[in-house]
Amino acid sequence: MIALSGVRKRYDALEALKGVDLEVEPGELLGLIGPNGAGKTSLLRIVATLSKPDEGRVRVLGCDPNVVPGKIRRRLGYMPAEFGRLPDMTVHEYLSYFAAAVGVPRRERLRRIEDVLELVDLVERRDTLVSAGSTGIKQRILIAKTLVHDPELLVLDEPAAGLDPRARVEVREVLKELNGLGKTIVVSSHILADLEEICDAIAILEAGELVARGPVAELKARLRAGRPRCSWRVVLRAEGSPSPLEVLAEVPGLGDLVALDDGMRFTTAERDANAALAALLAAGHVVLSFREEEPRLEEVFLRETEGLVT
Amino acid sequence: MSPACAVAGRAPGGARRLLARVVAAAQWAFDSPSAEHDARTILSSPKVGLWLGVEQLALLGGTAGGVAFLSELGHVDAFRGSDSGLLGTELEFLSLALFLTCIVPLRSSGLIEGPRWRGYFDQVVTTGISPLRYFAGKWATSQIFFLTLLAASLPLVLLSGLLFGASWPRVAVSYFLLYAYCNLLLLTSSGLAVAFHEVVALILCWFGFGFSFFLGLVPAPGTLSLLSPARYLVRPLAEAATGPGTVDHAFYASLRPFGLDLPWELFALAAWGVLGAVAVGACALGPLHAPSPGLNNFGALVLRGDRKRLFFRRHRPLLLRRVELSFLFENAGPGLRRWQLPLRALLQVALVGLFACLFLGACFDLTSIEQTGREVVLAFHGVACSLVVLATWAVFAPSRLQALCSFRLGRLRVPAGAFDAAGVLCVLALVVVLHTVGFSAGRDALVGTTSWWERLGPEEACLRATSNLGVFCAFALWGLLVLQSLGARWRARWQVLGATVLLAGALAIVPALLEEAVREAATGDAPLDALLASPLLVFAEASPLVQTQVDAVGVPGLELDTWLVRKGFWFWQGLFLWLLGPEVFFLHRSLAREAAWLRGERSPSPSDPACASCGGRRWVPAGRTSWSGVLFSVLFGVRRCVDCGAFGARGRGRVERRWRVALGAANFALGLGLLGALFVYVAVRA
């Protein structure tokens, strides 16, 4: 669906992309993460045919953007990070504008607009002014605009930027639904928790270089394999004596011991976990669950990146 | 059944298909999103009220002002009875024409509602909408706007006509001309806004049509004011006011471009049609540069090597929109892109040919004008030649962005620079023909010949005109070389245009103004006068203004004709070509190489040295000749890194500062030596 090979992009002295290789399979939902200035927007604009790479090969939807950019644009939905202002337009008129621009036949326009409004849950706001909406509403309008011609590939630049938690959840649900419909989606975001939940794969950019790329589970497994200590979570009913905190404090090799409302959290090497469990049971506490905590995407990100800025 | 078919179904016979096509085209235009958007911005009730209110004020003010002006000149008494109605309606139409000249470009060039300013242009581009459909929408909505403006003027015109009498067929023709004029303004301003920044386009539009409007009002050859309806509207007033037998009356009454007795309106509509077609072509084909990798439209617009430049030269806001526009023009159909080379050539020749015909055609309208008028027209001929050269430069002098562009012609890639050079030669050939014919006709008219085509044989005047034209064309060519050289360095077209104007002023107009003084100095008794004046005289004689004046060349005593003008001028031409030719060649070769790098058609070779600054291996030859000819470009040749703009040595090239200083000093010394040699030569001859 997307194939980038050795893509470089320079803005004067600033090298925004330094030979990025990236492939996105059909139907994949790829999350693009990276610190500010990592080159995410440059990469997305190249994919969206709005910028040309200085070096390297790009193929989007099987076509070369240098040769047939118009053909790609008609099959691609691009959502920029900023909401372009249009004067005095209602939501329906705004969508109609872009539906006409992408060449949706007049007789189909109304149905398409109703469909996407329903998808992003904006049916009730169809006749309100675009400019009157909150940031969350505007983001959803932008998503609706991106979908109005039923594109095969969606390129979304920071769709959750500036949204409150509820709106973020809504956008996340919309993306999940779209991915379920078979759309290929490339989405960049700073909110890693959102991407962690919905993305099939993650690509991490730093200082113009692709430092990691793969399924979320694989990246986490890589992180887990690479670190000497794991984080453990125990849910228990404290019925014995001494207290769980005192019991675990006596177990050698445990660290970062934290008492929680329903249990404990600590870190230890994998081989010492059994000793901790045995100590709790021996003290008479009822252990309801004992499991290793998965590393979060933030941890993966922090491990893979070094805070470099181009 | 579609509405197009329904309408066509009611039409009889063979007109059915044509009507269906017209209706379908109108539907296509009105279905454009820009039509919907523009309709919302233009036709919202407060804005319509504002436009119409301003229009009424302009009409009333213009009419009252016109009456007051004529009254001041004592011409009002010429309009009595039904003629007073003529005065009222014509003044209202003139005011309306002026109002439209101001308002239509302001609206249509996108200055007020430019999509870039609202930050959604990227989204429009990624919809894949074709530029023609985008502009068609704007055109379609503007028709409603124009009709509204014209309809709003009806009450005043009707009132004036009904109370004081008017020629209603003439009123109808005037409205038709004004409607066509609106479309001309719309198309031209849109076409200019594609090629230039909106503000520049607006200024050019106001200047061009305003100048034509002014020429329509004053006693000048009618051909010059063909781009505005002012002459048609003012003619009955001027004829009544000036009275027959005067030179002014002859100017207003006579309009015979190329000696043809046809109505002025036909010539005007033909000229408008050509200009409109060129503008539509510009809207369909876009600016003459492709979005190459070095052209960025993300954030601050920067190109390679910019960090080596001075701070104030890094920021080029005027480029931003053109870059964005070029992405829009990628959406043009493949057929249009395939044929763009011949189409662009056709449009450029048509544009410059139109200007050439407008200016030079004025010289044929001489037979009915008195002696004084003829001399005025013939004197104007020199100005016309200069303006044609200016137009040629404006069209063909490329900026750096343009020079990076190229066309595919089968398997051949034609650089835009070569395309421009071929275009210049074609246009100059056209000008040669028109100039020869025009100059000959002008001289013949002065000596009383009745028709120009009877005297086109190898007469002395014709030979003189053709000889002068050789000088004129050489002047045009080396001027173009200067601009090509500058354009290869500069990235914005407005910079090249500015240089064009300066060059025209410095080398065409100023020497002409100085010519008399220089001539006196050259023929003075003191040898020093002649010594100092001679090189200046060469420039003065080279000016097209001087070259096309009647009997300008040939001062007895110094025999300027035989050696100074002929040999001296050609000596300077040769010198300029020797200095500028290699500069232009090397610069454009470098640009072609850079364009190949940017398009990915070349790959770095391991034998290429790595750049000390960035490690890149992509180099382009940088002559850095500073207009110093073949010799120095070889000796001092360096190369420039495509990635970071750093310079490196090439062959025997020297990149150190002292070598650059030495090069400058050598150039300066060479120039001084040549001037000194010429002074000595002149002194010996004198």
Side-chain angles (χ1 to χ4, degrees):
Chain A
M1 188 61 81
I2 298 174
L4 308 179
S5 166
V7 168
R8 289 179 180 274
K9 183 70 187 174
R10 178 189 288 272
Y11 302 107
D12 193 20
L14 177 78
E15 193 162 11
L17 296 174
K18 300 170 182 168
V20 172
D21 300 310
L22 179 68
E23 287 201 6
V24 181
E25 298 299 324
E28 191 174 2
L29 202 167
L30 176 77
L32 193 62
I33 59 178
N36 288 331
K40 299 188 295 296
T41 301
S42 291
L43 189 67
L44 292 184
R45 287 181 70 87
I46 287 172
V47 172
T49 71
L50 286 170
S51 186
K52 309 281 178 190
D54 294 346
E55 280 180 51
R57 287 171 54 81
V58 180
R59 288 192 80 79
V60 180
L61 294 162
C63 305
D64 185 347
N66 280 324
V67 182
V68 280
K71 195 173 169 185
I72 295 171
R73 285 168 189 164
R74 280 186 281 277
R75 297 165 60 194
L76 172 144
Y78 172 64
M79 176 180 166
E82 292 174 359
F83 187 85
R85 289 188 299 130
L86 282 168
D88 306 331
M89 273 186 156
T90 65
V91 173
H92 185 272
E93 288 166 347
Y94 177 81
L95 295 177
S96 174
Y97 176 92
F98 281 101
V102 293
V104 176
R106 185 179 278 272
R107 67 179 76 87
E108 278 186 37
R109 252 174 244 167
L110 188 64
R111 183 181 60 78
R112 289 271 187 95
I113 291 169
E114 293 300 329
D115 286 351
V116 291
L117 283 176
E118 197 172 326
L119 187 70
V120 298
D121 199 17
L122 283 177
V123 177
E124 290 172 5
R125 299 190 68 98
R126 66 194 300 279
D127 294 320
T128 58
L129 287 177
V130 168
S131 53
S134 63
T135 310
I137 297 291
K138 283 179 180 168
Q139 292 297 85
R140 279 195 275 166
I141 294 170
L142 264 183
I143 293 177
K145 183 273 300 181
T146 311
L147 295 172
V148 78
H149 59 300
D150 194 21
E152 297 165 48
L153 171 65
L154 292 172
V155 180
L156 312 175
D157 196 358
E158 304 277 359
L163 300 185
D164 60 35
R166 177 178 293 277
R168 272 169 46 201
V169 171
E170 287 169 0
V171 168
R172 210 164 61 199
E173 292 305 314
V174 168
L175 292 184
K176 259 197 232 176
E177 194 172 340
L178 289 171
N179 191 226
L181 292 171
K183 307 277 183 210
T184 307
I185 303 174
V186 181
V187 54
S188 76
S189 179
H190 284 299
I191 304 161
L192 306 186
D194 289 353
L195 295 184
E196 182 175 8
E197 190 174 322
I198 60 171
C199 288
D200 302 324
I202 294 289
I204 302 176
L205 269 178
E206 185 180 35
E209 290 181 46
L210 192 68
V211 292
R213 198 267 190 242
V216 178
E218 187 182 299
L219 289 177
K220 286 180 178 176
R222 213 159 72 193
L223 176 68
R224 200 163 48 221
R227 64 186 184 184
R229 297 169 72 86
C230 307
S231 177
W232 296 88
R233 174 86 165 86
V234 187
V235 179
L236 52 75
R237 206 163 53 233
E239 293 182 350
S241 179
S243 69
L245 189 64
E246 290 168 341
V247 171
L248 292 178
E250 296 298 321
V251 178
L254 263 62
D256 304 329
L257 198 54
V258 180
L260 304 171
D261 290 344
D262 59 347
M264 307 291 296
R265 174 182 289 143
F266 57 90
T267 61
T268 181
E270 203 165 1
R271 62 176 181 278
D272 295 334
N274 287 343
L277 179 60
L280 285 170
L281 292 173
H285 298 296
V286 179
V287 176
L288 300 174
S289 79
F290 188 93
R291 61 184 170 82
E292 184 191 355
E293 279 196 323
E294 277 204 333
R296 287 167 299 154
L297 193 55
E298 278 92 344
E299 291 176 66
V300 176
F301 178 71
L302 291 173
R303 179 178 176 269
E304 297 288 350
T305 61
E306 297 170 13
L308 298 177
V309 178
T310 49
Chain B
M1 182 185 283
S2 73
C5 295
V7 173
R10 291 194 292 272
R16 192 171 297 167
R17 270 184 307 198
L18 180 66
L19 189 60
R21 280 184 185 175
V22 170
V23 173
Q27 277 183 340
W28 175 76
F30 276 100
D31 193 40
S32 167
S34 53
E36 192 176 338
H37 176 240
D38 270 22
R40 187 166 288 102
T41 55
I42 295 175
L43 303 177
S44 65
S45 50
K47 285 184 180 171
V48 168
L50 179 70
W51 289 120
L52 297 187
V54 173
E55 183 192 5
Q56 296 303 317
L57 284 176
L59 290 187
L60 288 171
T63 309
V67 172
F69 181 69
L70 288 174
S71 174
E72 190 71 24
L73 294 177
H75 292 324
V76 170
D77 294 341
F79 302 97
R80 298 207 176 278
S82 62
D83 280 354
S84 55
L86 177 75
L87 176 68
T89 50
E90 296 303 322
L91 283 178
E92 277 157 17
F93 280 131
L94 273 173
S95 309
L96 185 56
L98 191 59
F99 174 75
L100 294 171
T101 307
C102 296
I103 289 301
V104 176
L106 187 67
R107 238 233 57 85
S108 59
S109 64
L111 187 63
I112 296 173
E113 302 287 352
R116 178 176 64 91
W117 294 14
R118 298 194 175 274
Y120 68 90
F121 202 69
D122 278 350
Q123 298 177 50
V124 174
V125 169
T126 48
T127 59
I129 184 172
S130 76
L132 208 53
R133 184 160 174 247
Y134 184 80
F135 284 107
K138 285 184 171 294
W139 176 83
T141 323
S142 297
Q143 303 309 306
I144 303 171
F145 180 57
F146 297 154
L147 291 174
T148 310
L149 287 180
L150 293 179
S153 71
L154 263 176
L156 276 178
V157 174
L158 285 176
L159 187 69
S160 177
L162 289 173
L163 288 180
F164 305 107
S167 165
W168 296 112
R170 184 175 168 77
V171 168
V173 173
S174 300
Y175 266 120
F176 174 73
L177 279 179
L178 284 173
Y179 177 66
Y181 182 57
C182 286
N183 277 289
L184 176 71
L185 288 169
L186 169 73
L187 293 174
T188 311
S189 51
S190 299
L192 283 171
V194 167
F196 302 100
H197 187 266
E198 290 152 338
V199 179
V200 178
L202 183 67
I203 292 170
L204 285 175
C205 215
W206 274 345
F207 177 78
F209 286 102
F211 185 59
S212 184
F213 190 91
F214 169 76
L215 287 176
L217 298 183
V218 300
T223 321
L224 306 175
S225 55
L226 270 178
L227 293 183
S228 140
R231 174 53 61 91
Y232 176 81
L233 299 172
V234 85
R235 191 158 59 175
L237 302 183
E239 282 177 2
T242 53
T246 62
V247 172
D248 285 357
H249 182 273
F251 269 119
Y252 286 116
S254 166
L255 181 78
R256 302 173 62 248
F258 303 99
L260 301 174
D261 286 314
L262 287 172
W264 183 92
E265 300 88 295
L266 279 184
F267 281 108
L269 287 175
W272 297 2
V274 172
L275 190 58
V278 171
V280 169
C283 290
L285 294 170
L288 187 56
H289 66 260
S292 65
L295 267 176
N296 298 310
N297 64 338
F298 171 51
L301 183 80
V302 285
L303 299 170
R304 285 182 178 77
D306 277 6
R307 70 193 171 112
K308 295 287 177 191
R309 293 173 183 272
L310 295 175
F311 174 77
F312 66 87
R313 290 183 65 192
R314 286 183 201 157
H315 301 280
R316 301 183 185 85
L318 291 182
L319 280 178
L320 189 59
R321 186 169 178 277
R322 295 187 65 209
V323 173
E324 287 174 341
L325 269 183
S326 64
F327 280 87
L328 173 68
F329 282 95
E330 282 189 325
N331 291 341
L336 206 57
R337 293 170 77 178
R338 195 179 308 127
W339 285 97
Q340 70 163 324
L341 178 64
L343 282 176
R344 282 185 190 278
L346 189 67
L347 294 178
Q348 291 190 335
V349 170
L351 182 65
V352 182
L354 172 67
F355 283 117
C357 291
L358 289 186
F359 289 120
L360 301 178
C363 300
F364 296 90
D365 187 24
L366 296 169
T367 53
S368 60
I369 299 174
E370 298 297 318
Q371 183 74 15
T372 317
R374 290 174 186 171
E375 287 176 3
V376 170
V377 174
L378 204 54
F380 185 82
H381 192 251
V383 181
C385 291
S386 296
L387 288 174
V388 172
V389 172
L390 202 65
T392 311
W393 284 345
V395 172
F396 292 103
S399 68
R400 180 180 154 79
L401 295 182
Q402 194 167 318
L404 281 171
C405 180
S406 60
F407 302 101
R408 277 212 174 277
L409 196 65
R411 290 184 178 181
L412 194 66
R413 190 179 278 283
V414 182
F419 168 73
D420 287 334
V424 170
L425 293 176
C426 291
V427 172
L428 283 180
L430 176 71
V431 175
V432 164
V433 173
L434 288 172
H435 177 93
T436 308
V437 173
F439 195 85
S440 175
R443 288 183 66 92
D444 289 351
L446 274 179
V447 297
T449 312
T450 51
S451 57
W452 58 270
W453 54 85
E454 293 173 5
R455 298 293 297 271
L456 279 183
E459 305 291 335
E460 185 270 337
C462 194
L463 286 174
R464 171 64 65 85
T466 311
S467 170
N468 287 341
L469 193 61
V471 178
F472 167 76
C473 287
F475 174 83
L477 272 176
W478 81 253
L480 191 88
L481 280 179
V482 172
L483 291 173
Q484 288 259 350
S485 168
L486 294 175
R489 298 167 188 271
W490 291 342
R491 288 162 188 178
R493 199 178 167 86
W494 65 269
Q495 289 174 313
V496 183
L497 278 178
T500 306
V501 173
L502 282 177
L503 196 65
L507 295 173
I509 297 168
V510 174
L513 298 177
L514 292 175
E515 193 254 348
E516 275 303 317
V518 172
R519 187 187 297 277
E520 282 177 16
T523 54
D525 294 334
L528 191 60
D529 287 348
L531 196 67
L532 291 175
S534 299
L536 278 177
L537 189 57
V538 175
F539 279 109
E541 298 292 354
S543 163
L545 283 182
V546 178
Q547 287 295 317
T548 51
Q549 280 176 14
V550 181
D551 295 330
V553 184
V555 178
L558 256 180
E559 295 182 339
L560 294 173
D561 239 4
T562 53
W563 72 271
L564 184 59
V565 172
R566 306 292 173 219
K567 293 178 185 171
F569 176 77
W570 290 114
F571 166 76
W572 282 107
Q573 292 297 327
L575 183 64
F576 280 130
L577 286 175
W578 184 75
L579 293 177
L580 284 174
E583 173 77 4
V584 171
F585 173 76
F586 286 124
L587 277 171
H588 283 269
R589 190 184 65 164
S590 169
L591 280 173
R593 182 81 57 89
E594 186 174 346
W597 279 121
L598 296 179
R599 284 193 297 266
E601 291 173 354
R602 293 174 66 90
S603 52
S605 155
S607 61
D608 290 333
C611 172
S613 301
C614 69
R617 292 177 184 275
R618 305 195 298 176
W619 298 95
V620 290
R624 203 190 254 171
T625 62
S626 303
W627 296 353
S628 52
V630 180
L631 180 64
F632 290 148
S633 66
V634 173
L635 283 180
F636 295 90
V638 292
R639 57 181 156 191
R640 183 170 56 82
C641 175
V642 173
D643 295 315
C644 69
F647 286 96
R650 177 169 61 94
R652 284 174 291 174
R654 301 286 186 270
V655 290
E656 296 85 1
R657 183 179 175 81
R658 59 198 167 97
W659 286 100
R660 274 182 277 155
V661 173
L663 174 62
N667 280 340
F668 187 67
L670 177 70
L672 276 183
L674 287 170
L675 272 176
L678 189 67
F679 277 130
V680 170
Y681 183 60
V682 169
V684 170
R685 290 298 301 256

